[in-house]
Amino acid sequence: MYKIAVLISGGGTNLQSIIDSINNKYLENCSIEYVISDKVGAFGIERAKNNNIKTYELDKKQYKDSLSDKILEIIDGKVDLLVLAGYLSILKGDLLKKFKDRIINIHPSLIPAFCGNGMYGLKVHEKALEYGVKVTGCTVHFVDEGTDTGSIIIQKAVKVEDDDTPESLQKRVLVEEHKALPEAIKLLSEGKISFKGRRVVGEQ
Ligand code: GRF
């Protein structure tokens, strides 16, 4: 069984896409062992509880710099993959070392555009519209010491419409996120990912 832990900070629609993909057998050999939130009361915790998944609510204001270490304490030796799904705290320390190439994140733009420190949520789409890009989308990438700088696994493009608002664009990108994240997990769980330097190659 390919065991997963999912980190969340909010509503957890990306978490839900993984839960649904397991329940509909798209992710056949996968299980979510833990859902961990850095925000007490995040709705994603409810989603996990509704699916009998063990949850931890680690208030980032309480754990501060020890948050990554606490996450490692919970998952070390227990899961194969750590998935950041709408998670807003920065990971650091031993967690990044022990889970090298086993942590992935979903970002709502085509990295390297509109990413990096402070670029999350609606702001990403505001910047895309402000810049005037014709195509945006989402990226699933490995997490390294940087912010949104790890090797790219999957990207999905979304056409920007003339009458788009940040909210309408966010909605359409989220639909693609909910496809991209399970697809990336499936590739990893089936061992179909390899590297050519920084590039991720394998069956797409
Ligand atoms: C999503 O746009 C995701 O790309 C970003 O956080 C947003 C909220 O995700 N990382 P969710 O609905 O909490 O999964």
Side-chain angles (χ1 to χ4, degrees):
M1 184 62 80
Y2 191 74
K3 298 185 175 184
I4 299 165
V6 182
L7 302 186
I8 62 163
S9 298
T13 65
N14 278 290
L15 164 66
Q16 191 64 53
S17 72
I18 304 168
I19 291 170
D20 295 347
S21 297
I22 290 171
N23 291 343
N24 68 23
K25 306 275 185 276
Y26 173 73
L27 292 175
E28 284 160 323
N29 65 332
C30 298
S31 68
I32 303 174
E33 299 298 309
Y34 308 103
V35 170
I36 303 169
S37 173
D38 66 350
K39 184 169 176 284
V40 175
F43 184 66
I45 293 291
E46 283 309 302
R47 295 180 190 271
K49 286 179 176 172
N50 292 341
N51 288 273
N52 305 312
I53 298 167
K54 187 159 179 50
T55 62
Y56 290 86
E57 295 175 80
L58 307 178
D59 185 347
K60 61 184 174 186
K61 295 190 289 296
Q62 180 196 336
Y63 282 90
K64 296 191 178 84
D65 283 349
S66 65
L67 184 57
S68 287
D69 290 340
K70 181 62 185 171
I71 292 167
L72 180 58
E73 186 187 307
I74 294 166
I75 69 172
D76 200 9
K78 308 266 186 30
V79 301
D80 301 291
L81 182 70
L82 181 60
V83 179
L84 278 57
Y87 185 71
L88 298 178
S89 295
I90 301 297
L91 301 181
K92 58 184 188 174
D94 286 346
L95 175 60
L96 289 176
K97 296 187 185 76
K98 287 200 163 185
F99 275 80
K100 181 171 169 32
D101 295 337
R102 294 197 293 153
I103 308 176
I104 64 174
N105 179 49
I106 175 93
H107 181 78
S109 76
L110 296 176
I111 288 174
F114 312 117
C115 65
N117 291 333
M119 289 300 280
Y120 57 86
L122 214 50
K123 188 167 180 189
V124 174
H125 307 293
E126 286 166 0
K127 290 294 179 189
L129 289 172
E130 190 183 299
Y131 196 96
V133 295
K134 295 302 178 184
V135 176
T136 187
C138 62
T139 302
V140 184
H141 63 94
F142 284 106
V143 172
D144 59 14
E145 293 73 18
T147 303
D148 302 330
T149 51
S151 293
I152 292 171
I153 304 167
I154 283 183
Q155 293 189 302
K156 288 194 180 292
V158 172
K159 186 174 176 297
V160 180
E161 306 295 351
D162 291 349
D163 58 354
D164 261 320
T165 62
E167 291 76 8
S168 63
L169 191 51
Q170 180 179 50
K171 202 156 166 272
R172 282 206 316 285
V173 170
L174 212 44
V175 169
E176 296 307 311
E177 293 180 41
H178 297 162
K179 298 175 196 165
L181 192 51
E183 273 181 41
I185 294 170
K186 187 174 179 66
L187 287 171
L188 285 158
S189 70
E190 294 172 353
K192 290 180 178 168
I193 292 279
S194 56
F195 291 89
K196 270 187 183 167
R198 190 191 142 79
R199 277 183 66 210
V200 172
V201 293
E203 282 178 50
Q204 295 288 316

